[in-house]
Amino acid sequence: MEALGSLLPAESLTRTASPADVGYRVGQARTRRGLTGDALGALVGLGKDQISKIENGRRKIGVRELPKFAEALGVSVANLLGQPSRPTLAMAHRLAGDTSPDEDSNAKRRALQLLEVEDVLTQRAAPPPALPTAAGQQVFDYARKEMSQRPRNKAEAERQGKRLAEQMRHQLGLGSHELGDLPGLIERHFGVDVALSPLGTQTDGLCIHGDGVALIVASTDFSQGHVRFTLAHELGHHLLGDPRDVINEGERDMFADNLQERRVNAFAGHLLMPEEGIRETLRWLSAGRVTERSLVALMEQFGASLAALVYQLCVMGLITYDQSKRLRSQRVTDLVTRHASVAPTGAGITVRQTVRAPERLLSAAVDAARNQHVGLGVVATLLQREDDDALWDAVMEADPEVLV
């Protein structure tokens, strides 16, 4: 994809942009990209000291340098200069520039499709904005105010994650019960588009967030329980204001031994498997003890993977670290088969390879296609289906359920 910077009249735009403002935006973009001053300097042909002067407003970026900075930082020249731009298109260019040719980037490619679709719909059909509910905004405010500082140690990271999960359950009135439609809940309360697709097993999930853009993509080539944990994990990154605008994670990344991931995992675990709900089930099935049968029942009840549930039980102090290692080493299919009576759906192990488009975009695309504002290909891209007569008939039906 060609850099936006090469398409903009940079010389005329620089006349109204102060070096301090441009330098600030360069520094912000560099941080989001995860680049050091040395690394950015190498990409644009400048030394670290010159990058520092630019970011502090003591050196102006020349007209011919702007496209180099935009390309290196994965943003547009307009973005660096503070000019109005289309957020989804800007993020699409950022994402495209962040993907190397040899990278396994199915999740990024899917995210790029969705961003481009949203940009088309925004220009032609004005989809409703993705906004949090009042309760969702309360959760956002709590996370950004009470947890603005990084945790200092593992115990604090786990406490913060647990408190955020409890706050979310309280504000949304979720009690201690299992969650049903998790993608719908995320979209409805937090203004985050959620997409599910079979994307392979190299990437579990992807979170993209920035000005005017919030999207979570998860691969459904894993068990349903695994997918749910991924969604909750990526939501945690978003709520806690992770400075990275593109967070692309496999299982190793999600369970990395650092305080940031530990806090987000604690949030995901307590959100999906609240302590009181777990203890209630254990009291009912096994007098409060963790047994194989109660473990399978908990996987079924909360739609959790074995790995996520064992992690949560270990955090709660209901099993030891050695016991957690032994449980995780078992074949989960054998475990569920031995106790099938308490796992009628096998939610913890079943792989469904679901395709789910963000509801906000799908509804807008169907309406726009019916009114001939966009072509059927937009709907086909969202649903990952063929643009054929069957899809045409489905789109024109009054009942949108035929699309699923």
Side-chain angles (χ1 to χ4, degrees), residues 54-72:
I54 287 171
E55 293 184 1
N56 290 319
R58 292 184 283 115
R59 180 197 186 284
K60 183 178 180 180
I61 299 179
V63 171
R64 294 188 178 182
E65 293 175 317
L66 272 169
K68 294 181 181 179
F69 273 86
E71 183 176 358

Side-chain angles (χ1 to χ4, degrees), residues 361-378:
L361 299 183
L362 182 58
S363 296
V366 170
D367 288 342
R370 287 173 178 167
N371 293 314
Q372 299 184 349
H373 295 315
V374 300
L376 198 62
V378 173

Side-chain angles (χ1 to χ4, degrees), residues 8-128:
L8 294 171
E11 187 168 3
S12 62
L13 291 173
T14 55
R15 295 171 185 165
T16 59
S18 75
D21 289 340
V22 174
Y24 173 78
R25 284 187 284 271
V26 167
Q28 292 293 300
R30 178 178 61 78
T31 300
R32 290 195 303 268
R33 194 80 186 248
L35 294 173
T36 63
D38 280 328
L40 176 57
L43 291 172
V44 299
L46 294 175
K48 178 183 178 181
D49 59 333
Q50 293 298 306
I51 298 299
S52 177
K53 289 179 180 179
I54 287 171
E55 293 184 1
N56 290 319
R58 292 184 283 115
R59 180 197 186 284
K60 183 178 180 180
I61 299 179
V63 171
R64 294 188 178 182
E65 293 175 317
L66 272 169
K68 294 181 181 179
F69 273 86
E71 183 176 358
L73 295 168
V75 299
S76 69
V77 169
N79 177 277
L80 292 180
L81 297 174
Q83 301 296 320
S85 61
R86 286 144 50 190
T88 49
L89 186 60
M91 184 61 79
H93 279 268
R94 158 77 176 87
L95 187 61
D98 194 43
T99 303
S100 62
D102 58 346
E103 180 183 359
D104 185 338
S105 54
N106 288 339
K108 287 187 177 181
R109 280 192 287 270
R110 180 57 176 158
L112 185 58
Q113 286 181 334
L114 296 169
L115 291 172
E116 291 174 340
V117 163
E118 181 172 3
D119 186 66
V120 169
L121 290 172
T122 299
Q123 302 307 306
R124 302 182 186 179

Side-chain angles (χ1 to χ4, degrees), residues 241-316:
D242 192 302
R244 296 171 293 174
D245 51 7
V246 178
I247 306 163
N248 189 26
E249 299 185 296
E251 185 172 13
R252 176 177 292 183
D253 304 306
M254 291 170 59
F255 286 94
D257 188 19
N258 64 60
L259 300 182
Q260 178 173 265
E261 296 300 329
R262 186 174 288 271
R263 178 169 65 172
V264 172
N265 282 333
F267 164 77
H270 287 284
L271 176 65
L272 295 175
M273 300 163 283
E275 288 194 7
E276 184 54 35
I278 287 178
R279 294 185 193 280
E280 285 177 1
T281 300
L282 291 177
R283 285 194 293 268
W284 165 54
L285 279 174
S286 53
R289 296 176 295 106
V290 178
T291 64
E292 276 195 1
R293 187 165 181 269
S294 64
L295 192 70
V296 173
L298 287 168
M299 289 170 61
E300 175 76 11
Q301 178 178 345
F302 293 103
S305 67
L306 177 63
L309 179 59
V310 168
Y311 178 86
Q312 179 69 346
L313 293 173
C314 195
V315 167
M316 292 172 60

